[in-house]
Amino acid sequence: MDETYYEFGTPAERWDRAQMFFEAKEYLTAARILGGLVQEAPEQVAPRLLLARAYYHSARLAKAETELREVLKRNPVEDYALLMLGRTLERQGRPAEAAPHLRMARAMAGDFEEA
């Protein structure tokens, strides 16, 4: 993979750049930048969660699932990751696997009614 200008700079500069590309719906470019950040600081949840979102929005669902599971391994109470994992599994045609994650996300958001 050839490096490009947006993969250079400090981690903070690359984080800002990744967010800018994500907001511009340039999900593949954002994922490329975020992948490097995640490799450099695997313990950080925020870059990994944004990477999962970029994968989700670019229909790279298996990669999104992998990143979301890693986020939840590091931070099991990350309710947005639970919601995203549920949606990712649903989108892959796996509603039975998605259901517990979606229930937990709803409960963490204070929605205790059964959907």
Side-chain angles (χ1 to χ4, degrees):
M1 178 182 324
D2 295 331
E3 290 185 344
T4 56
Y5 76 93
Y6 48 77
E7 294 173 293
F8 291 98
T10 67
E13 290 168 339
R14 287 180 287 141
W15 170 248
D16 289 342
R17 199 171 299 126
Q19 289 179 307
M20 179 191 68
F21 278 109
F22 185 88
E23 290 169 10
K25 297 183 179 176
E26 294 287 338
Y27 301 119
L28 295 176
T29 303
R32 189 168 173 181
I33 298 166
L34 291 162
L37 289 171
V38 165
Q39 284 181 341
E40 290 174 30
E43 72 285 351
Q44 299 223 353
V45 171
R48 193 178 295 274
L49 187 56
L50 190 58
L51 176 58
R53 291 177 63 200
Y55 284 150
Y56 179 87
H57 288 298
S58 60
R60 297 161 76 185
L61 301 177
K63 288 184 174 208
E65 179 183 348
T66 299
E67 294 302 329
L68 290 165
R69 290 189 187 279
E70 190 60 38
V71 166
L72 290 168
K73 207 185 307 181
R74 295 171 185 283
N75 186 2
V77 295
E78 176 58 62
D79 60 325
Y80 189 66
L82 283 166
L83 175 65
M84 276 198 62
L85 180 56
R87 296 286 184 238
T88 300
L89 293 169
E90 280 182 332
R91 201 167 157 195
Q92 293 180 74
R94 297 159 55 193
E97 286 181 67
H101 300 291
L102 294 172
R103 261 193 315 276
M104 182 67 77
R106 277 195 311 274
M108 292 174 90
D111 180 5
F112 297 103
E113 291 184 34
E114 195 62 34

